[in-house]
Amino acid sequence: GAVVSQHPSRVICKSGTSVKIECRSLDFQATTMFWYRQFPKQSLMLMATSNEGSKATYEQGVEKDKFLINHASLTLSTLTVTSAHPEDSSFYICSASSSPEQYFGPGTRLTVT
Amino acid sequence: AQSVTQPDIHITVSEGASLELRCNYSYGATPYLFWYVQSPGQGLQLLLKYFSGDTLVQGIKGFEAEFKRSQSSFNLRKPSVHWSDAAEYFCAVPPGEKLTFGTGTRLTIIP
């Protein structure tokens, strides 16, 4: 089946710094990838839709200047959390679309100290 | 707007017992429907999906789900649970390419 990887799986950063999370589709091309955020014991919240070669589409309430998304190729999308704060600590999950299905990465645990 | 509801936040069953997790959807047309499972600290794994055709869908790990249009439901079932089934289960429906997830049901297995 289709495999999606995320790197890193865990990251700890200091408040005010930026951190980049990569999402790769390993064995298929994905023109569309999605970024989700999941708080403890809660469901996934869609943050943005990442489209290869164009700007990402952000969900209402998600700061585009804080969560920078780049989808430079058909197999790679990156999420950069800029000027991170402790409230950005969360589990971030990406998915790659092979419509109508989505294949999910294993997630990245971000802790901002 | 399309949505899914998972009425049960937490379910506890004994190992070997049967399981049913509920999912109700709100959708204008015949929906695609998905069930995903998430182990702690992990991503999501697709258990099964319904697109069309046979309303009883077989998935991985011995799970099945039945699409019932009259009840707007897509409940997940397993005849005999194993301790390794303890996880969070999410029902999802796609409005277009996006997925809308239910709030999830946490499954606890007791020996």
Side-chain angles (χ1 to χ4, degrees):
Chain A
V3 179
V4 176
S5 69
Q6 275 184 250
H7 178 78
S9 58
R10 290 177 177 271
V11 58
I12 300 173
C13 70
K14 292 188 176 181
S15 187
T17 62
S18 296
V19 61
K20 181 186 287 188
I21 303 170
E22 293 185 348
C23 177
R24 294 181 184 272
S25 56
L26 298 184
D27 49 4
F28 67 104
Q29 294 183 329
T31 56
T32 304
M33 292 184 174
F34 300 90
W35 286 97
Y36 296 85
R37 182 173 182 177
Q38 186 178 33
F39 292 102
K41 300 183 180 181
Q42 293 191 24
S43 188
L44 281 72
M45 180 190 75
L46 179 65
M47 298 175 65
T49 302
S50 171
N51 300 295
E52 188 268 336
S54 65
K55 291 183 178 181
T57 304
Y58 291 82
E59 295 299 302
Q60 190 173 8
V62 178
E63 299 176 60
K64 61 180 67 177
D65 294 330
K66 180 167 188 62
F67 297 100
L68 300 179
I69 291 172
N70 183 276
H71 195 154
S73 78
L74 289 171
T75 59
L76 174 64
S77 175
T78 61
L79 169 68
T80 301
V81 183
T82 63
S83 187
H85 288 97
E87 57 265 33
D88 298 325
S89 298
S90 193
F91 193 57
Y92 293 87
I93 303 176
C94 73
S95 71
S97 176
S98 181
S99 189
E101 296 189 39
Q102 288 186 30
Y103 298 94
F104 287 83
T108 296
R109 172 74 59 194
L110 170 63
T111 303
V112 184
T113 61
Chain B
Q2 297 84 352
S3 65
V4 287
T5 303
Q6 293 180 247
D8 305 304
I9 296 173
H10 187 196
I11 285 182
T12 300
V13 298
S14 299
E15 189 169 14
S18 63
L19 170 71
E20 182 168 33
L21 303 182
R22 296 184 290 167
C23 172
N24 294 99
Y25 66 89
S26 171
Y27 200 86
T30 300
Y32 296 150
L33 290 158
F34 301 86
W35 273 101
Y36 288 90
V37 60
Q38 183 182 32
S39 297
Q42 302 294 314
L44 274 69
Q45 182 181 22
L46 179 67
L47 283 176
L48 47 78
K49 61 198 177 198
Y50 172 76
F51 289 162
S52 65
D54 194 345
T55 56
L56 185 62
V57 179
Q58 301 297 320
I60 62 171
K61 303 185 179 186
F63 286 92
E64 66 177 25
E66 186 170 12
F67 170 66
K68 293 185 177 180
R69 184 189 304 276
S70 62
Q71 299 178 19
S72 298
S73 69
F74 187 56
N75 295 347
L76 182 71
R77 301 193 296 246
K78 186 170 184 177
S80 176
V81 297
H82 186 262
W83 63 267
S84 60
D85 294 324
E88 190 87 17
Y89 291 80
F90 294 97
C91 182
V93 59
E97 276 199 295
K98 298 181 185 180
L99 277 178
T100 296
F101 286 89
T103 49
T105 298
R106 184 181 318 149
L107 176 63
T108 298
I109 309 295
I110 54 177

